[in-house]
Amino acid sequence: MQPEPKVNILLVDDYPENLLALEAILSGLGENLVRATSGQEALRCLLNLDFAVILLDVQMPGMNGFETADLIRSRARTRQTPIIFLTAFNTDDEFVFKGYALGAVDYLHKPIDPVILTSKVSVFVDLFRKTEMLRQQTEEVRRQAAQLSEINNELRRSEERFRLLSVCSPVGIFVTDNAGYCTYTNPRCQTICGFSLENSLNEAWLKFVHPEDRNRVSADWLTYIGDGHEYSDEFRLQVTEGSTRWVHVRSTPMFSDQNEPLGHVGTIEDITERKQMEAARNQIIREQVARREAEASSRMKDEFLAVLSHELRTPLNAMLGWSRLLRTRKFDEQTTARALETIERNANTQAQLIEDILDVSKIIRGKLRLNYAPVKLISVLEAAIDSVRPQAEAKSIQLETALDASIEQIWGDSVRLQQIAWNLLSNAIKFTPDEGRVEVKLSLVHNQPSAKENKEENSNPNDRKPTKTIKYAQIQVIDTGIGISPDFLPNVFDRFRQADSTTTRAHNGLGLGLAIVRHLVELHGGHVLAESAGEGKGATFTVELPLQMEKQTLSSVQKEPSPAIAPTCNLKKVTILVVDDEADTREFITFALRQYGAIITQATSVRDALATLNMSKPDLLVSDIGMPDEDGYMLIRQIRQFEQDTGTYLPAIALTAYSRDEDHQKALSEGFDAHFAKPVEVTELVQAIAQLLKD
């Protein structure tokens, strides 16, 4: 057996040492490595030789790799030749995508891993060999088909001679009559299709066609018999051994010397290997697409984490800076007040960021619930406007309002409605330059339900009702700010999406506010729309909320009880055990509760707390959850177990940074009477303590 001829591999790089390195890596393949030191020399090599793959450097003097690839793709002979770009400089996604746009199959960065390069090149060498073999086989089939066509007249004179010739043919051959019924198949055809001569006669061959292709093949074959044109089709066969085989069938009419139809003669070719190669190639393409999508998703996540880190650290910097100055220096009363105001403002900013993240987490998990009650929108809007007025005044932004006081009440959550208004107003003020204008409108609009809603409601054509008009309260926030580009406008309400997420952006934020707005509006049965004429031309956000919801919707709403607000409480002589491993948090809670007259005992761990409880019994327990060795859940379990034996009961409050709904439910199920998330409002904690002691 003669050895297989070597396959040509073209190496293109203007640095000889790089070419030597590539030759050293690929020499083990035993193929013909052709060198070129420029794009022009590479094109000259492609005039005379066919290559399995081209390794093409991007950075070259004169004609760079992209220009060379473009010229290679412009020639029919080299249009399908695989190109792998090599570069040590251009690693940006823009250059990678440009390489793929020019038809590259891969884009490798120097220094190149020899194992990866050898593996990739060997795949294309093997693919080139198989493609060349298939091409040769195809040419052979075509040559033999041409020979069959040339002896067609002789075959008509002597059917026996034709059969003798076809028996030895490496191509499957079949003959049918004028009606398309099979009259003869040669041994090669029977081998490919997995049937005998008897099984192939008349229409019996159709039962060997794969069930999923059978109806189509039968219809196409009957069409061919009727119109008399040449037939060519690819389909699957279910061969006798139970495996599936792909075949390519060609057929053409036969005529006598007097141009009388004699039937049809055709060939059948096994193309299973080619189909498998095509499937493998398609799989590679799908994997490349999936990889690019995964990389884009990973890049978006990295950008969000970078922004999150920046947004959390920025207020922390001001808080730590002023707190250190207050500890190390003495300031006058005005400076001290300004420092405390700055610390409080930045703490509130950081708390708002955390609340936004928690809200989005609830939205993703479908855990966000509303406390429904009758709400007067004008009061909600006025409260939101008052809360952002200092921000507007700091930038000399003119706040204009046009609020229709006659708007009826809506059924909704006043806190979440104010959050919607506050987010939209804060967003408008943030992106509006100094001395700009922000306008807030509240009006009544009448909208008809969509065609889809009408169809669902009036599904019975015999029971059609007239289309009703729904009254909406429309809130519009209009600004003269930086506007929204047309490209970003469709994504303005997406989570973690920002028009500018670079480190040079002019505005801070996590890109969560508008996503929260959209979800809250939809929970209220409304919809929100963003409009902008383009960058620098301002933006308009429109919220439409139905004035009343359907009874069925109201009955299905999951309501959460609103906590009662207790009056200012006095904890004089109340003994409380505070358990927390964090000294700062423990000292703060202790100091705060002592201001209300409480007597505080501290413990730094579960073991210390149990030791204290063995010595004396406090009136109430305030415990952290996350602690080393043993957590707050272990503490409350031991306390409740002990109480079962003694018949006593110690009210307990969980005070922790774990703030999810699941954490709240777990704390209550484990034995705590209340659960508060850090940072906690001291007044709310005191009210809860007073209520528990009262009960």
Side-chain angles (χ1 to χ4, degrees):
M1 181 180 294
Q2 294 183 352
E4 291 183 332
K6 291 185 177 181
V7 171
N8 297 321
I9 301 173
L10 182 57
L11 313 178
V12 187
D13 198 304
D14 58 312
Y15 285 97
E17 57 269 29
N18 290 341
L19 292 173
L20 287 173
L22 290 174
E23 287 181 338
I25 293 172
L26 301 176
S27 60
L29 296 177
E31 306 300 343
N32 183 29
L33 305 178
V34 180
R35 302 174 56 177
T37 58
S38 67
Q40 293 85 346
E41 186 177 353
L43 293 174
R44 285 194 295 270
C45 293
L46 289 166
L47 291 175
N48 302 314
L49 295 174
D50 292 324
F51 293 88
V53 64
I54 301 173
L55 305 183
L56 182 57
D57 185 31
V58 174
Q59 297 292 123
M60 293 189 296
M63 182 186 300
N64 63 31
F66 291 144
E67 294 170 341
T68 304
D70 193 26
L71 291 174
I72 292 172
R73 288 289 178 255
S74 66
R75 297 178 65 243
R77 180 174 178 178
T78 59
R79 186 170 295 129
Q80 302 300 325
T81 303
I83 299 175
I84 299 177
F85 281 117
L86 309 177
T87 182
F89 302 97
N90 297 322
T91 61
D92 293 339
D93 288 347
E94 178 183 354
F95 288 91
V96 175
F97 293 148
K98 183 176 181 181
Y100 286 126
L102 289 171
V105 297
D106 214 330
Y107 199 107
L108 301 180
H109 305 299
K110 301 176 182 178
I112 298 170
D113 189 325
V115 176
I116 292 177
L117 180 61
T118 302
S119 175
K120 290 179 180 292
V121 170
S122 63
V123 168
F124 290 109
V125 168
D126 184 55
L127 181 61
F128 180 86
R129 278 203 171 93
K130 291 181 178 179
T131 303
E132 184 65 17
M133 183 184 302
L134 183 61
R135 184 187 64 80
Q136 293 175 1
Q137 292 176 350
T138 302
E139 290 178 356
E140 178 66 19
V141 169
R142 290 176 179 172
R143 185 185 64 80
Q144 293 179 1
Q147 289 178 348
L148 290 174
S149 178
E150 292 174 359
I151 64 173
N152 190 38
N153 291 331
E154 183 178 354
L155 289 174
R156 285 198 299 268
R157 299 188 191 97
S158 177
E159 183 178 351
E160 185 61 30
R161 183 181 176 189
F162 165 75
R163 292 182 180 181
L164 289 174
L165 290 172
S166 66
V167 165
C168 302
S169 172
V171 179
I173 300 172
F174 63 90
V175 178
T176 71
D177 59 19
N178 289 326
Y181 294 109
C182 184
T183 60
Y184 172 77
T185 56
N186 76 333
R188 180 56 181 162
C189 177
Q190 297 163 21
T191 301
I192 292 174
C193 299
F195 51 51
S196 63
L197 176 60
E198 293 76 14
N199 292 335
S200 65
L201 299 180
N202 296 322
E203 291 185 317
W205 63 273
L206 275 173
K207 70 180 182 181
F208 291 90
V209 178
H210 194 281
E212 295 179 4
D213 298 342
R214 191 173 299 156
N215 291 338
R216 177 185 62 82
V217 171
S218 178
D220 292 346
W221 180 255
L222 291 176
T223 301
Y224 156 69
I225 297 299
D227 60 27
H229 297 299
E230 290 190 358
Y231 175 84
S232 178
D233 195 10
E234 294 179 356
F235 51 85
R236 291 168 294 175
L237 294 176
Q238 196 78 44
V239 295
T240 53
E241 61 267 23
S243 61
T244 300
R245 185 173 296 163
W246 276 94
V247 294
H248 187 185
V249 177
R250 296 182 180 89
S251 183
T252 185
M254 294 187 299
F255 298 94
S256 66
D257 295 336
Q258 292 75 30
N259 203 29
E260 295 178 355
L262 299 177
H264 306 266
V265 61
T267 61
I268 184 167
E269 176 187 357
D270 187 347
I271 59 170
T272 304
E273 186 174 354
R274 193 195 81 193
K275 285 292 186 179
Q276 291 173 346
M277 292 169 58
E278 291 176 355
R281 181 182 179 187
N282 292 336
Q283 179 64 23
I284 292 173
I285 294 173
R286 287 194 295 269
E287 290 175 355
Q288 290 175 344
V289 172
R291 183 169 62 250
R292 288 196 292 269
E293 292 176 351
E295 289 172 351
S297 176
S298 177
R299 185 166 58 253
M300 184 182 296
K301 179 193 70 174
D302 292 342
E303 290 175 356
F304 171 72
L305 292 177
V307 171
L308 174 62
S309 175
H310 174 270
E311 295 302 318
L312 291 177
R313 288 175 180 273
T314 298
L316 190 62
N317 181 65
M319 294 159 60
L320 290 175
W322 274 110
S323 62
R324 288 166 181 166
L325 288 175
L326 290 174
R327 290 182 60 192
T328 57
R329 300 183 185 179
K330 292 185 177 181
F331 297 102
D332 56 34
E333 184 177 349
Q334 182 179 2
T335 303
T336 301
R338 181 163 62 91
L340 294 175
E341 179 184 353
T342 301
I343 292 173
E344 182 179 11
R345 183 174 63 253
N346 282 275
N348 288 332
T349 299
Q350 198 169 57
Q352 183 61 48
L353 291 172
I354 295 172
E355 287 299 322
D356 284 348
I357 295 173
L358 294 176
D359 279 348
V360 168
S361 175
K362 291 179 181 178
I363 289 170
I364 293 173
R365 294 180 290 115
K367 298 293 186 180
L368 189 63
R369 298 288 184 267
L370 302 183
N371 296 320
Y372 287 95
V375 178
K376 197 168 183 62
L377 271 180
I378 192 168
S379 301
V380 170
L381 290 177
E382 288 174 345
I385 292 170
D386 290 340
S387 67
V388 300
R389 196 178 298 279
Q391 304 171 30
E393 292 176 351
K395 298 178 67 175
S396 300
I397 292 175
Q398 184 179 357
L399 268 177
E400 299 179 358
T401 59
L403 308 179
D404 186 351
S406 65
I407 298 293
E408 303 173 23
Q409 291 182 333
I410 72 166
W411 188 255
D413 186 325
S414 60
V415 174
R416 293 300 186 179
L417 288 171
Q418 185 168 335
Q419 183 180 1
I420 292 171
W422 184 87
N423 276 352
L424 292 177
L425 285 168
S426 297
N427 198 65
I429 293 171
K430 179 197 297 186
F431 293 105
T432 299
D434 294 354
E435 301 182 357
R437 179 173 56 85
V438 175
E439 183 178 3
V440 183
K441 292 182 178 181
L442 174 62
S443 58
L444 181 66
V445 295
H446 297 76
N447 289 340
Q448 291 186 351
S450 66
K452 179 180 179 182
E453 291 170 342
N454 271 329
K455 183 177 180 181
E456 292 174 351
E457 184 175 352
N458 300 325
S459 57
N460 186 355
N462 298 320
D463 189 25
R464 289 291 172 89
K465 300 178 182 178
T467 301
K468 64 179 181 180
T469 300
I470 302 176
K471 292 190 294 184
Y472 286 89
Q474 184 184 82
I475 304 170
Q476 285 189 306
V477 178
I478 307 167
D479 64 66
T480 58
I482 64 175
I484 308 171
S485 68
D487 293 337
F488 186 72
L489 191 59
N491 308 113
V492 72
F493 292 106
D494 292 350
R495 293 190 296 266
F496 311 130
R497 291 294 294 270
Q498 294 177 299
D500 182 8
S501 59
T502 64
T503 56
T504 58
R505 62 195 183 130
H507 305 280
N508 55 9
L510 298 178
L512 300 178
L514 292 180
I516 294 172
V517 165
R518 180 176 65 176
H519 189 77
L520 292 178
V521 170
E522 291 175 351
L523 283 180
H524 282 86
H527 46 270
V528 61
L529 174 68
E531 300 173 286
S532 177
E535 295 183 1
K537 297 181 180 180
T540 298
F541 287 86
T542 302
V543 174
E544 291 185 350
L545 301 168
L547 290 184
Q548 59 182 2
M549 299 173 66
E550 296 294 334
K551 293 182 180 180
Q552 181 179 359
T553 304
L554 292 178
S555 63
S556 64
V557 169
Q558 180 176 350
K559 299 182 182 180
E560 292 181 353
S562 299
I565 304 299
T568 303
C569 304
N570 188 344
L571 302 181
K572 188 174 182 180
K573 295 185 179 180
V574 174
T575 58
I576 300 175
L577 173 59
V578 176
V579 184
D580 200 310
D581 62 307
E582 292 287 342
D584 292 341
T585 302
R586 191 174 62 250
E587 292 298 331
F588 167 71
I589 297 299
T590 299
F591 178 82
L593 295 180
R594 282 175 177 170
Q595 304 307 305
Y596 289 84
I599 301 172
I600 306 299
T601 303
Q602 298 183 32
T604 61
S605 65
V606 172
R607 181 176 297 180
D608 290 346
L610 292 174
T612 301
L613 290 172
N614 286 331
M615 297 175 60
S616 62
K617 183 179 181 299
D619 297 319
L620 185 133
L621 168 71
V622 177
S623 175
D624 186 26
I625 295 296
M627 294 183 289
D629 299 329
E630 296 178 295
D631 60 16
Y633 295 135
M634 298 179 181
L635 172 61
I636 196 65
R637 289 192 205 109
Q638 295 184 59
I639 292 174
R640 296 297 182 234
Q641 182 63 41
F642 175 77
E643 290 172 344
Q644 289 181 0
D645 301 331
T646 60
T648 59
Y649 189 82
L650 175 64
I653 295 176
L655 180 60
T656 174
Y658 297 108
S659 58
R660 301 175 302 170
D661 289 342
E662 299 94 309
D663 301 315
H664 177 80
Q665 296 300 328
K666 184 176 182 181
L668 299 182
S669 64
E670 290 285 353
F672 285 99
D673 299 285
H675 173 274
F676 285 90
K678 300 176 183 178
V680 65
E681 284 287 342
V682 175
T683 54
E684 294 180 2
L685 178 61
V686 172
Q687 290 166 5
I689 292 172
Q691 186 64 40
L692 286 175
L693 294 177
K694 180 180 177 182
D695 294 343

